[in-house]
Amino acid sequence: MRRAGDALGRRGGHRQLKQLSGGMRGLLGRLSVAVVVLLICTISLLSTMKGNTADYGSKISLGDLWQSAASGGWRPSSAPRSDWPPPPTETNGYLRVRCNGGLNQQRSAICNAVLAARIMNATLVLPELDANYFWHDNSGFQGIYDVEHFILSLKYDVRIVESIPEIHKNGKTKKLKAYQLRPPRDAPINWYTTVALEKMKEHGAIYLTPFSHRLAEEIDNPEYQRLRCRVNYHALRFKPNIMKFSNAIVNKLRAKGPFMAIHLRFEMDMLAFAGCFDIFTPEEQKILKKYRKDNFAPKELVYSQRRAIGKCPLTPEEVGLILRAMGFDNSTRIYLAAGDIFGGERYMKPLRSLFPHLENHSTVGPADELAENTRGLLGSAVDYMVCLLSNIFMPTYDGPSNFANNLMGHRLYYGFRTTIQPDRKALAPILIDRENGRTAGFEAAVRRVIFNSKFGGPHKRIQPESFYTNSWPECFCQMSAQNPADKCPPDNVMELLNSRLYGEETNNVEQMNSNITNVSL
């Protein structure tokens, strides 16, 4: 700040002194306001820190984290709770979709496809899975999921066929050709009941491509949301060989006690997307920048700014430091769900020195044909199941990561299983201070951030949190609910659905027989 004497010496005179005096008074006034605001913020921060310290010190212990979070009397339930008629025998046409992206983006798209078919009273053709852009994997739906289980699980909701049928016309047999449409992103329900349905009735079948994020997530119809949960958490079951392989890994890990699974998102695609280049060598930066240029829209990204607001994935070392600050020691057993770590062992070494008991599906899985082919969608499916069944799950980057977001939602549905979700924005200044040599109070500061969390308990969904990350309260219920909308459905709800489905099929058969009889007479 310029000193008063210097300014006066350069200008001189009574008039300048008067102007300076007035300016100083204004400046002091503004400074006073700033000091008061700063003081209020400091007191508020200290109070919050004190409150948080008391909370995590008295309510949460490290041992608690190895157990599921408190349910508050809630339990998962995606069965219908109001009138839910079975799908009609005669539908409006056939719906084909092509689900693009990785395994979990495709998983969300499959849930949306089932719901879209229900909305339009359409017959769903088994969804197509696009060859993954990163792994170039073309396993397809039949290579990943149990098709028979998928179709049977949803028989009360939609009619599903494995392929589009053939039609007979003018003595020739050919496949029904679907009219291709590109749905708007996050399209509302009325787009499907107007534009899409009109084309379906006109052509007999429609083909929606691409089909990722093409149906609005927030829908003011809890039964539609529960259908999504039935698809996601019940109907979408991996093929038996994938389940067997995953269970073998889990059993091997559990044989030595509880274990933690970490989704370590420190791969080339995510680092390029985030624009976090500066910690790498010039050669590595060149690789990341080229990948970003080839795969993402141009955008000016400044590493220091991105880092300061928590937009960079946690490094393996930062993950280790956070866990140590929480109290986990080097005997903790960790399963890593990750692709190829960019920078290789140079970045893994610090984490390995803190937590030597690190495993992945290659090191702990049985040696068989599946184990040798666990790249791409198959590897992602195995990692998904092991993370789902782990005692603790920790995602290191939950921004655009469909894997982490879907898993958090599945673990919530699976019984409020503990999830450690680091607040990267709150942790960023603490980690930056440590890098700059200011290490005093580091662990206490980390604990204040980390332990100010629900660790997987029921909580209200607030934007931008996705429905697939938190389906509470639509897909949960309470036995002793004060709100009737939260009450659990009757235990025999599936019997009722089955009875209605069987009753409609019987009526349809009787009607068909009657028509045949009338024609014969």
Side-chain angles (χ1 to χ4, degrees):
M1 187 175 70
R2 183 182 294 164
R3 289 188 330 204
D6 293 337
L8 186 59
R10 280 191 291 272
R11 288 183 169 85
H14 178 71
R15 180 200 233 163
Q16 286 85 355
L17 181 61
K18 186 174 181 182
Q19 288 175 344
L20 179 62
S21 177
M24 285 295 291
R25 282 198 299 272
L27 177 61
L28 287 171
R30 289 192 295 274
L31 283 173
S32 298
V33 172
V35 168
V36 170
V37 171
L38 181 61
L39 185 61
I40 291 171
C41 291
T42 303
I43 293 170
S44 174
L45 178 62
L46 289 172
S47 300
T48 302
M49 287 166 62
K50 183 178 179 182
N52 287 344
T53 303
D55 283 344
Y56 77 72
S58 60
K59 295 181 181 178
I60 299 174
S61 69
L62 206 60
D64 293 334
L65 297 181
W66 292 109
Q67 310 297 322
S68 294
S71 68
W74 292 90
R75 72 178 193 185
S77 173
S78 57
R81 298 178 209 173
S82 58
D83 185 54
W84 189 254
T89 304
E90 294 296 323
T91 63
N92 288 319
Y94 292 89
L95 172 64
R96 284 181 60 200
V97 298
R98 181 177 65 84
C99 306
N100 55 305
L103 178 70
N104 288 281
Q105 183 168 306
Q106 292 172 353
R107 191 181 184 100
S108 301
I110 294 166
C111 298
N112 287 342
V114 172
L115 179 53
R118 174 76 189 196
I119 290 167
M120 294 189 289
N121 280 333
T123 297
L124 178 67
V125 180
L126 202 65
E128 300 168 21
L129 304 189
D130 196 12
N132 181 268
Y133 76 98
F134 187 73
W135 295 115
H136 307 292
D137 190 313
N138 58 357
S139 301
F141 195 103
Q142 294 90 336
I144 299 292
Y145 295 108
D146 186 331
V147 174
E148 184 179 357
H149 175 79
F150 179 75
I151 294 174
L152 287 175
S153 295
L154 297 169
K155 65 181 179 180
Y156 307 114
D157 305 304
V158 291
R159 297 198 178 275
I160 304 173
V161 294
E162 292 195 42
S163 60
I164 205 160
E166 295 178 334
I167 56 173
H168 305 280
K169 192 174 182 180
N170 300 327
K172 295 181 180 180
T173 300
K174 61 179 181 178
K175 275 199 171 183
L176 181 65
K177 189 174 181 181
Y179 181 85
Q180 187 169 321
L181 276 173
R182 184 186 180 94
R185 188 176 175 88
D186 299 320
I189 286 177
N190 64 14
W191 184 86
Y192 288 91
T193 56
T194 53
V195 177
L197 185 57
E198 181 184 340
K199 293 297 182 185
M200 179 178 284
K201 288 180 175 179
E202 181 181 345
H203 298 275
I206 58 172
Y207 182 35
L208 304 184
T209 177
F211 197 74
S212 174
H213 307 292
R214 301 294 160 170
L215 177 59
E217 279 193 19
E218 293 300 330
I219 296 175
D220 191 22
N221 184 329
E223 291 298 3
Y224 284 170
Q225 300 291 58
R226 283 190 273 274
L227 174 55
R228 277 173 161 158
C229 290
R230 290 199 289 282
V231 180
N232 205 6
Y233 307 134
H234 298 280
L236 281 174
R237 186 168 72 188
F238 295 121
K239 287 174 69 71
N241 62 332
I242 297 175
M243 298 295 284
K244 182 180 177 182
F245 185 82
S246 305
N247 285 327
I249 292 177
V250 171
N251 291 336
K252 220 170 182 181
L253 292 168
R254 282 184 179 164
K256 296 181 181 179
F259 72 97
M260 176 190 302
I262 295 178
H263 184 222
L264 189 57
R265 201 66 167 98
F266 203 72
E267 298 120 336
M268 178 170 62
D269 62 328
M270 185 52 68
L271 290 163
F273 171 82
C276 300
F277 307 142
D278 291 23
I279 62 174
F280 297 101
T281 65
E283 292 78 14
E284 289 169 339
Q285 288 188 37
K286 190 182 294 185
I287 294 170
L288 290 172
K289 288 175 180 176
K290 182 180 185 307
Y291 188 90
R292 178 171 179 82
K293 183 180 179 182
D294 293 345
N295 293 280
F296 302 111
K299 186 178 181 180
E300 187 67 30
L301 299 175
V302 180
Y303 169 74
S304 58
Q305 295 175 1
R306 303 283 290 172
R307 178 78 197 286
I309 58 174
K311 293 295 184 180
C312 288
L314 294 172
T315 68
E317 181 180 23
E318 289 169 346
V319 172
L321 292 170
I322 290 167
L323 291 176
R324 273 301 181 86
M326 292 180 69
F328 293 101
D329 61 27
N330 62 4
S331 68
T332 305
R333 303 178 65 255
I334 297 174
Y335 178 88
L336 289 179
D340 295 328
I341 300 300
F342 193 75
E345 188 58 25
R346 184 171 90 253
Y347 282 93
M348 283 301 298
K349 191 175 180 180
L351 174 59
R352 208 179 300 280
S353 66
L354 290 168
F355 295 95
H357 300 288
L358 297 180
E359 305 281 6
N360 59 37
H361 58 234
S362 298
T363 63
V364 75
D368 60 13
E369 186 180 345
L370 179 63
E372 295 171 5
N373 295 281
T374 47
R375 289 178 70 83
L377 298 183
L378 281 172
S380 187
V382 171
D383 281 346
Y384 187 95
M385 286 307 303
V386 178
C387 289
L388 174 62
L389 298 172
S390 65
N391 298 86
I392 297 173
F393 172 63
M394 178 179 176
T396 62
Y397 194 73
D398 58 337
S401 173
N402 293 292
F403 182 96
N405 288 328
N406 281 15
L407 257 170
M408 286 190 286
H410 204 154
R411 286 176 65 85
L412 198 72
Y413 189 85
Y414 196 66
F416 305 105
R417 301 175 77 83
T418 300
T419 297
I420 299 171
Q421 191 176 355
D423 183 342
R424 293 190 313 281
K425 186 175 182 180
L427 287 168
I430 302 169
L431 294 167
I432 291 170
D433 277 350
R434 186 182 182 282
E435 282 178 11
N436 294 328
R438 296 186 289 273
T439 59
F442 170 77
E443 293 193 346
V446 168
R447 287 194 294 272
R448 278 193 293 271
V449 172
I450 293 291
F451 282 99
N452 188 25
S453 169
K454 291 186 180 298
F455 295 106
H459 61 280
K460 186 178 180 182
R461 184 170 67 252
I462 300 174
Q463 291 288 350
E465 191 175 32
S466 163
F467 173 79
Y468 292 103
T469 303
N470 179 12
S471 59
W472 186 89
E474 294 95 331
C475 296
F476 295 83
C477 67
Q478 287 183 312
M479 293 302 294
S480 303
Q482 294 183 347
N483 183 352
D486 297 330
K487 190 175 180 179
C488 289
D491 292 336
N492 66 339
V493 64
M494 301 313 291
E495 294 175 18
L496 296 173
L497 290 172
N498 195 56
S499 174
R500 291 193 66 178
L501 180 64
Y502 177 75
E504 179 162 305
E505 288 175 345
T506 302
N507 290 338
N508 288 331
V509 170
E510 289 175 352
Q511 182 64 45
M512 190 181 301
N513 289 338
S514 174
N515 292 339
I516 292 172
T517 303
N518 291 335
V519 170
S520 301
L521 292 173

